[in-house]
Each structure stands twice: as C-alpha cells, then as structure tokens.
Amino acid sequence: MDGGKGDEAIHLIPVERIRIANPRSRNREMFAAMIDSIASVGLKRPITVRECGRDQDGPRYDLVCGQGRLEAVMALGEKTIPALIENTTEADAYLRGLIENMARRKHTNRDLLTAIRILEDRGYSSPEIGAKTGLDPSYISEILILLREGEERLIAAVERGWMPIYLASQIAHSDDSAMQHSLMDAYQDGTLKGPQLLKVRRLIERRKLIGKAYGHKFPGKDQPPSPRRLAQVYQEEVHRQQMLIRKADIGEQRLILLTSALRRLFADEHFRTLLRAEGLLDLPKPLADRLKGETP
C-alpha cells in the first residue's frame, strides 16, 4: 500500500472521536481476557488511526487497527486512548484492516474468500494477494478461478480439507467421464482416502443436482429436470432404499441373537440370583416383550 506513515509520536485521543469503519465480531472470552489484561498492566500497544475530517470540536478519526484494544478501553470507562496517527487514504486503511483480520488465527472460510475477492476487485494480482495474506500465489489463482465460476461447494471442500485445490479445479472443468478418472487417480495415489472419496462423491452429486453454489433450489417449473437426470435420481433413491433394507435386516439379526442369548441366561437360576443381588431387576420394555414372546 502507498499510504505513508504520519507522525510517529503517540497521541492521547478521545475515544468518542474515533469511528470503527470496518467492525468485526469478537470472541467473548478473548475479549474479557483483553479487558482484564489492560486493567491489570495497562495498554501495551497504541492503536492506529487516520484523520478523516474535522468539526467544531476538532479532528475526527477512523480506526485503522486496534478494534479490540479500543473497545476494551471503552469498556473500562476510559475517555482517551494512546494512538498513532497515519497519513493514509480511506481505501488503504480499509485494506490494512482487512489484511490484519485475515492474518489472525481464527477466521471463517467465508471471511477469507470474501477478503480475497475484495483484494482482486481492487486490482491486486495473485502474487500481491499472496504476499499480503501469506497464502501461496498458485493457491490464490485457483481459488479466484473457482470464485469467478461460482463454485462455492468445491471451495468449501478445499477449505475443509476434503480435497486438494488442483482436484477441485479439475472437477470444475471436467465432464462426468474425466471427473471419474480424476477421482480414481486421486484415490490410487492416496490423495483421497476412503471416507474422503465418499464425501467428494456426495458433494459432486449435490453439485450436479442442486448447483455449484449454496442456497440453490431444485430445478422447478422454469427448469424441468431432464429424463436422464430423473432416471439417475430414481436409481440413487432405489440404491438408498436397498441400503436401508440391508441395515434393517442386519439390525433384526443382531436383535434375534441378543434375545436368544438373554433367554438362555435368564433360564439359569444362578444368573437370576446374581441380578437380584446387584439390584438389576428392570429391562427395556421392547426387549422384555421380545423375551416374553409378545413381539416376533
């Protein structure tokens, strides 16, 4: 950024004269700890502001960085705060605050992607964004391509660690056949493990059925599904129903085995005496009914 440093002297500025131009939410526990620290040992580092105008009471300021420190000082009832005043433009001050927030350890994927998009819209190249954010320029380039194409689901999978960025790019630009080959290659070389592969397959199906971005509705009257898509959905539902039937059969077999074993145990007088001695006199009603023969 081209915004130059102003006077390096620290000034005491009235907190009521400072505007937080780019506010962000804050973890309550961390904020409480910051208040406690400032109350105990004082403010260790001044905030940074830029002058944004004047009125009859004097200069007004926009906060550049130090929102947590400012809010903590205000919560303690202080009327002034130590600050450095920078000579910088509003746009550069906004970008500096944005980059500072991105550099923090805890941020959401949506915050990160929004920041990358804003930096690109303001004319920064992938290497420049990478230098400011600490992210690899090639990663930034791939993310920007996916962002331009609206691939929110694929980006989310990359950010959650389900798939590498190169695979997301391949899926975004491949037909069904090439996509399946990419998945098989990723599975064979160990890039995708078993559970990851299942997640990615489900994501691809939802992407085909619902759309690239979140919040899209199932095709309705304006966009009727094709016969091929209807047949595919029908086959998927049949497969899902078959899996449910198999799981139900397995559960029934296990329940029969458990019931048979309990009947043998309850037929043993020593086992019944042990249960009475331990005070174990109750059974779940569905299981008790099975043991009595009331439920097949």
Side-chain angles (χ1 to χ4, degrees), residues 43 45 57 72 98 111 124 127 132 136 138 152 181 189 210 215 283 295:
L43 189 66
R45 194 157 51 100
D57 296 321
L98 184 67
D111 290 340
Y124 288 87
K132 292 180 180 295
D136 187 84
S138 61
E152 293 183 12
H181 279 97
D189 65 23
I210 302 176
L283 277 176
T295 303

Side-chain angles (χ1 to χ4, degrees), residues 97-135:
L98 184 67
I99 293 166
E100 179 183 289
N101 288 345
M102 290 173 64
R104 295 180 183 274
R105 291 185 178 181
K106 293 186 178 180
H107 55 262
T108 66
N109 296 332
R110 186 171 295 276
D111 290 340
L112 178 64
L113 297 176
T114 299
I116 291 174
R117 186 186 286 114
I118 290 173
L119 289 172
E120 187 203 24
D121 290 342
R122 290 182 176 269
Y124 288 87
S125 65
S126 295
E128 289 172 333
I129 296 174
K132 292 180 180 295
T133 61
L135 299 173

Side-chain angles (χ1 to χ4, degrees), residues 1 54 180 206 276:
M1 286 178 292
R54 289 176 175 265
Q180 294 303 321
R206 291 189 65 81
R276 286 193 295 270

Side-chain angles (χ1 to χ4, degrees), residues 146-195:
L146 295 177
L147 280 171
R148 294 187 199 108
E149 297 181 2
E151 294 284 2
E152 293 183 12
R153 296 182 187 277
L154 293 178
I155 292 172
V158 172
E159 294 299 326
R160 292 170 186 166
W162 294 2
M163 70 170 79
I165 184 68
Y166 82 86
L167 183 58
S169 297
Q170 289 179 4
I171 292 173
H173 302 100
S174 301
D175 56 22
D176 288 348
S177 176
M179 192 183 302
Q180 294 303 321
H181 279 97
S182 296
L183 291 180
M184 289 304 301
D185 290 342
Y187 178 74
Q188 291 174 356
D189 65 23
T191 301
L192 292 180
K193 307 296 183 183

Side-chain angles (χ1 to χ4, degrees), residues 51-257:
E51 187 173 330
C52 62
R54 289 176 175 265
D55 56 25
Q56 65 274 14
D57 296 321
R60 302 192 66 86
Y61 303 93
D62 275 346
L63 182 71
V64 176
C65 63
Q67 179 185 339
R69 283 164 279 160
L70 174 62
E71 291 178 344
V73 165
M74 293 171 66
L76 290 169
E78 298 292 335
K79 301 301 182 183
T80 59
I81 186 171
L84 293 170
I85 302 176
E86 285 192 356
N87 295 324
T88 185
T89 65
E90 182 179 2
D92 284 341
Y94 174 78
L95 286 176
R96 178 169 172 181
L98 184 67
I99 293 166
E100 179 183 289
N101 288 345
M102 290 173 64
R104 295 180 183 274
R105 291 185 178 181
K106 293 186 178 180
H107 55 262
T108 66
N109 296 332
R110 186 171 295 276
D111 290 340
L112 178 64
L113 297 176
T114 299
I116 291 174
R117 186 186 286 114
I118 290 173
L119 289 172
E120 187 203 24
D121 290 342
R122 290 182 176 269
Y124 288 87
S125 65
S126 295
E128 289 172 333
I129 296 174
K132 292 180 180 295
T133 61
L135 299 173
D136 187 84
S138 61
Y139 175 86
I140 296 291
S141 298
E142 296 290 353
I143 285 291
L144 287 173
I145 291 172
L146 295 177
L147 280 171
R148 294 187 199 108
E149 297 181 2
E151 294 284 2
E152 293 183 12
R153 296 182 187 277
L154 293 178
I155 292 172
V158 172
E159 294 299 326
R160 292 170 186 166
W162 294 2
M163 70 170 79
I165 184 68
Y166 82 86
L167 183 58
S169 297
Q170 289 179 4
I171 292 173
H173 302 100
S174 301
D175 56 22
D176 288 348
S177 176
M179 192 183 302
Q180 294 303 321
H181 279 97
S182 296
L183 291 180
M184 289 304 301
D185 290 342
Y187 178 74
Q188 291 174 356
D189 65 23
T191 301
L192 292 180
K193 307 296 183 183
Q196 286 178 296
L197 181 61
L198 293 176
K199 284 183 179 181
V200 172
R201 286 190 183 278
R202 283 197 295 266
L203 181 146
I204 290 172
E205 288 303 315
R206 291 189 65 81
R207 175 177 171 270
K208 290 167 58 179
L209 180 63
I210 302 176
K212 300 177 181 180
Y214 292 106
H216 285 196
K217 297 181 179 179
F218 188 86
K221 295 181 180 179
D222 296 335
Q223 294 180 332
S226 65
R228 178 183 176 186
R229 184 61 215 157
L230 286 173
Q232 184 177 3
V233 171
Y234 174 76
Q235 292 172 353
E236 291 171 355
E237 182 62 20
V238 168
H239 177 70
R240 190 179 71 84
Q241 295 289 344
Q242 290 174 341
M243 292 300 296
L244 288 175
I245 292 172
R246 291 177 188 172
K247 290 180 179 179
D249 288 341
I250 293 173
E252 180 68 16
Q253 292 171 10
R254 290 175 177 173
L255 188 55
I256 291 172
L257 179 62

